[in-house]
Amino acid sequence: MSTAPKRYITPEEYLEIERKAKLKSEYYDGEMFAKAGASDAHETIVHNLDFVLGLQLRNRPCRIYVSNMKVFVQRTGVYAYPDVSVVCGKREFFDQHNDVLLNPEILIEVLSESTEKYDRGMKFINYQSIPSLKEYVLVSQNERQIEYYVRQEAGAWLYAKETNPQGSIKLASINCMLEVKEVYHQVELQEKQ
């Protein structure tokens, strides 16, 4: 039994389809990948990140985008929907639609069972080729754990994590603090078995 080969979708076709679609899809190497719905914990964490960063960036020339702003990785051709994107200063967009960001400084992904491997692996590899990206943050929705990567001058990425409920991480590139207790405010974590 044979299966029909998948049809290659051009980036232009992807954008045309995506801009009309009711559901979001990411794009890589000629294929579209539907985004799954999010859990209560996921949505609460994203809201908390938006709120905490928004307060700190309120009077600065920065923008925070949550979940609905596409980011284009020019070097690899990937279109993705990070959970949170931050850009300070001039925003650069793919075209006049202003719905595809080219120059995020910080990208944050909230990990789920279905996306964790991709977010830690291939997605991060793609994100690393964005010249403007300075920090990448991974937030667990199953336990109090924030992991972050900071780009070093030589291009390597320095890794650290915070699990202390009273701890915090500093996003040095935008001079903001993420306190663990604030990121997980009203999040009901599942007990480990």
Side-chain angles (χ1 to χ4, degrees), residues 51-64 176:
F51 180 76
V52 168
L53 291 173
L55 286 176
Q56 295 176 71
L57 296 173
R58 185 176 180 96
N59 295 314
R60 294 173 43 201
C62 301
R63 293 284 174 95
I64 303 165
C176 288

Side-chain angles (χ1 to χ4, degrees), residues 15-16 18 32 46 71 75 87 100 102 113 118 154 161 179 188 190:
L15 286 173
E16 183 179 337
E18 188 65 13
M32 291 176 66
V46 169
V71 167
R75 196 168 293 156
V87 62
V100 181
L102 299 177
E113 287 184 26
Y118 178 58
K161 75 176 175 180
E179 294 182 23
E188 296 175 20
Q190 302 296 319

Side-chain angles (χ1 to χ4, degrees), residues 90-106:
K90 185 177 183 201
R91 296 172 316 282
E92 297 173 15
F93 294 101
F94 180 76
D95 58 21
Q96 73 282 359
H97 291 279
N98 291 353
D99 62 347
V100 181
L101 185 65
L102 299 177
N103 64 327
E105 292 177 44
I106 295 177

Side-chain angles (χ1 to χ4, degrees), residues 1-176:
M1 178 172 19
S2 67
T3 59
K6 291 184 180 180
R7 181 182 166 277
Y8 179 86
I9 299 168
T10 67
E12 296 79 16
E13 289 172 319
Y14 161 75
L15 286 173
E16 183 179 337
I17 293 166
E18 188 65 13
R19 287 175 174 150
K20 295 175 185 173
K22 292 182 181 182
L23 301 174
K24 296 185 290 189
S25 295
E26 294 187 336
Y27 175 87
Y28 179 66
D29 197 25
E31 291 186 65
M32 291 176 66
F33 301 91
K35 296 270 295 176
S39 70
D40 177 67
H42 185 284
E43 287 297 303
T44 303
I45 291 168
V46 169
H47 169 76
N48 291 342
L49 290 163
D50 184 31
F51 180 76
V52 168
L53 291 173
L55 286 176
Q56 295 176 71
L57 296 173
R58 185 176 180 96
N59 295 314
R60 294 173 43 201
C62 301
R63 293 284 174 95
I64 303 165
Y65 299 101
V66 292
S67 302
N68 291 316
M69 176 62 73
K70 289 180 285 301
V71 167
F72 178 50
V73 183
Q74 294 176 330
R75 196 168 293 156
T76 62
V78 168
Y79 289 85
Y81 284 98
D83 290 316
V84 179
S85 306
V86 180
V87 62
C88 294
K90 185 177 183 201
R91 296 172 316 282
E92 297 173 15
F93 294 101
F94 180 76
D95 58 21
Q96 73 282 359
H97 291 279
N98 291 353
D99 62 347
V100 181
L101 185 65
L102 299 177
N103 64 327
E105 292 177 44
I106 295 177
L107 294 174
I108 303 174
E109 297 288 359
V110 178
L111 302 175
S112 67
E113 287 184 26
S114 64
T115 66
E116 182 170 358
K117 184 177 177 183
Y118 178 58
D119 290 342
R120 289 183 182 285
M122 189 53 85
K123 194 173 214 180
F124 182 38
I125 290 169
N126 281 290
Y127 283 165
Q128 288 178 49
S129 69
I130 300 172
S132 60
L133 186 65
K134 297 174 183 163
E135 296 176 89
Y136 183 55
V137 181
L138 298 171
V139 180
S140 174
Q141 66 176 321
N142 297 320
E143 59 185 321
R144 281 181 181 78
Q145 178 173 285
I146 302 173
E147 299 170 89
Y148 57 110
Y149 296 83
V150 180
R151 188 189 303 262
Q152 304 301 293
E153 286 188 33
W157 290 83
L158 181 66
Y159 169 83
K161 75 176 175 180
E162 183 59 69
T163 58
N164 182 340
Q166 302 307 313
S168 62
I169 66 165
K170 181 172 185 172
L171 299 175
S173 65
I174 58 171
N175 194 27
C176 288

